[in-house]
Amino acid sequence: MVFHVMLVPTLGCPSNCGYCWSSEEGSELMSIDTLKQTVNWLKTLREDSVTVTFHGGEPLLAGLEFFQTALPLIKTELDHLKPALAIQTNLWNMTDDLAELFSTYNIPIGSSIDGPEELNDYQRGEGYYQKTMQGYKIAKAHNLKVSFICTFTSHSIKHKEEILNYFLENDLTLKLHPSLPSMRDDNPDEWALSPEDYGELLVYLLEEYLDKMDEVEIMNIDNLAKSVFRRRGTVCTFVDCMGDTFAIGPDGSIYPCYRFVGMPDYVMGNVHDDPSLDDLAESKPWQLLMEFKDFVDTDCKRCNYVKFCRGGCPYNALAITDAKVEAVDPHCTAYKRIFKEITDKATKEMLSGSLMGNSKPSKTTKYSIMDLMLKESR
């Protein structure tokens, strides 16, 4: 697991997505003092390379001056950690000045679109699509790499073919998320995608991807295939993340992940107190997530996929058990389904002698699983 720190300058967000659990109206903005203290804290926390992602809420609400300070500060003061930078934003507040700044620092952008405009705005609010596309045009004009998270819900799963075609026709990189229950939502199941539907979706996308791999990039399928090939998880959902991932809230509070930001029970410390890893390890949230790791070691020890699944996301598990370590990620059924599909296909190819794949499949053949396992990002 790469050492990953998520900076959350604010939990505020101008959009009002129906299923969102990561925004908070009236949230404060991170001060420059807290930003500087965060960088000072990271200087000696660990010695390995770090990825810093600006997250939210909506991080662009922090404004141009914040990023004009933050980016050179991180790059200069953490130079010994070889920091890689990224941002997750709805792009509504993107400007030419921000795009030029991000281009200077070679920052990849993650954004969110749930498919065609009507479907997207049904889930994310009227006008969302056009505002995001306007920001996308500005980003592309400055040669920034933009990929899109597409959230599948109990509603949009019925339109999976239409959604995939949208990403194909518009040459957009797709990273899918299932809508999930939240610990901060009074009606957590309203939009939630069932594990069974999610499993079906992943298998559908795998089949389509093997047919159209030269036309679209589906980041989840790439990661799942590489996990099977390497026998270990390649994204945070499928690794023991505690100690390798942290999120810093607007006031400097330290959390296990951005999904916990704003929840007092999951504060492990504050950058202004300069805690060590040992200090953080004594906190209740750290111990809770380590308890989840131990639970997975016992509960999943007979599972064929435990090495590269690790019980899924602990937040997802805690969200359905009132924050008690009593279950693994509720999408376990979906993970097993897709890992089995990939493993079975790889085994079949190996036995048939076709494991080396088809570098240029004909109209009647598909790419192989090995092609997918070895595929590089676009």
Side-chain angles (χ1 to χ4, degrees):
M1 181 66 186
V2 174
F3 180 32
H4 190 190
V5 175
M6 289 167 261
L7 294 186
V8 180
T10 179
L11 283 172
C13 183
S15 59
N16 187 29
C17 302
Y19 47 76
C20 180
W21 40 259
S22 62
S23 63
E24 187 176 292
E25 190 174 348
S27 171
E28 64 182 302
L29 289 173
M30 180 179 288
S31 69
I32 296 300
D33 180 57
T34 295
L35 169 67
K36 290 179 177 179
Q37 185 55 42
T38 299
V39 173
N40 285 333
W41 174 66
L42 290 172
K43 278 184 182 179
T44 57
L45 186 70
R46 288 177 48 156
E47 297 180 353
D48 41 341
S49 300
V50 63
T51 295
V52 177
T53 300
F54 294 93
H55 218 294
E58 174 45 57
L60 292 188
L61 290 177
L64 177 62
E65 291 185 6
F66 177 87
F67 288 101
Q68 286 174 326
T69 301
L71 303 186
L73 183 70
I74 292 169
K75 279 293 190 180
T76 301
E77 296 298 314
L78 302 182
D79 180 65
H80 60 295
L81 301 180
K82 300 179 176 59
L85 300 172
I87 188 167
Q88 181 67 36
T89 167
N90 62 24
L91 291 170
W92 289 17
N93 288 57
M94 180 60 72
T95 64
D96 284 312
D97 287 340
L98 277 167
E100 186 60 31
L101 180 64
F102 293 160
S103 179
T104 299
Y105 286 89
N106 194 31
I107 296 180
I109 294 175
S111 192
S112 299
I113 282 289
D114 290 350
E117 182 172 2
E118 182 178 354
L119 177 59
N120 176 87
D121 287 4
Y122 177 81
Q123 299 191 160
R124 289 186 171 270
E126 186 177 353
Y128 183 108
Y129 182 93
Q130 290 297 332
K131 292 176 183 177
T132 294
M133 285 295 105
Q134 181 58 38
Y136 174 66
K137 290 177 183 177
I138 295 173
K140 294 303 290 181
H142 292 266
N143 298 313
L144 290 166
K145 180 180 179 181
V146 183
S147 58
F148 286 96
I149 289 174
C150 176
T151 300
F152 280 85
T153 68
S154 54
H155 170 75
S156 66
I157 187 64
K158 295 173 285 189
H159 305 276
K160 61 180 184 292
E161 295 89 354
E162 181 183 354
I163 293 171
L164 178 59
N165 286 335
Y166 169 83
F167 279 87
L168 277 164
E169 292 166 3
N170 290 277
D171 193 28
L172 300 177
T173 297
L174 166 62
K175 181 180 180 182
L176 65 104
H177 274 187
S179 181
L180 297 160
S182 166
M183 287 191 267
R184 294 189 283 183
D185 194 332
D186 294 332
N187 188 15
D189 296 322
E190 180 182 4
W191 294 92
L193 186 66
S194 73
E196 293 75 19
D197 283 344
Y198 187 33
E200 289 290 335
L201 173 64
L202 290 171
V203 172
Y204 164 76
L205 290 174
L206 172 64
E207 291 295 338
E208 292 295 313
Y209 201 25
L210 292 176
D211 194 38
K212 302 178 176 71
M213 202 162 63
D214 56 346
E215 301 174 48
V216 68
E217 180 175 14
I218 306 177
M219 296 171 68
N220 309 66
I221 304 300
D222 286 340
N223 291 326
L224 289 163
K226 286 176 171 56
S227 294
V228 173
F229 181 62
R230 298 174 182 176
R231 310 301 292 175
R232 61 177 175 81
T234 61
V235 293
C236 64
T237 303
F238 303 120
V239 297
D240 297 320
C241 58
M242 192 64 258
D244 288 319
T245 299
F246 297 109
I248 314 302
D251 66 348
S253 293
I254 304 166
Y255 301 85
C257 170
Y258 82 97
R259 301 184 71 180
F260 295 100
V261 173
M263 302 174 67
D265 289 344
Y266 292 90
V267 174
M268 299 189 294
N270 192 291
V271 296
H272 291 284
D273 300 322
D274 198 28
S276 67
L277 283 175
D278 288 340
D279 293 332
L280 297 178
E282 294 179 1
S283 68
K284 289 183 179 180
W286 183 300
Q287 293 173 15
L288 183 67
L289 266 66
M290 292 305 292
E291 183 182 346
F292 177 79
K293 175 182 177 297
D294 293 339
F295 178 84
V296 170
D297 287 337
T298 300
D299 196 64
C300 305
K301 64 182 178 181
R302 299 187 186 281
C303 178
N304 293 331
Y305 315 113
V306 63
K307 287 185 178 180
F308 43 92
C309 175
R310 297 304 304 152
C313 176
Y315 177 96
N316 294 349
L318 295 171
I320 63 167
T321 60
D322 195 25
K324 297 180 178 65
V325 179
E326 298 175 344
V328 296
D329 187 325
H331 279 135
C332 172
T333 302
Y335 303 149
K336 285 182 178 178
R337 177 82 192 277
I338 188 62
F339 282 134
K340 183 178 188 304
E341 190 75 16
I342 293 171
T343 302
D344 288 351
K345 285 182 180 295
T347 302
K348 184 177 179 180
E349 289 174 10
M350 180 177 65
L351 294 175
S352 67
S354 61
L355 196 59
M356 294 311 294
N358 306 296
S359 58
K360 290 184 179 180
S362 69
K363 291 182 179 180
T364 59
T365 61
K366 294 187 175 186
Y367 284 96
S368 71
I369 286 293
M370 183 57 74
D371 289 324
L372 181 54
M373 290 175 170
L374 300 179
K375 173 183 172 291
E376 296 182 0
S377 297
R378 297 171 72 187

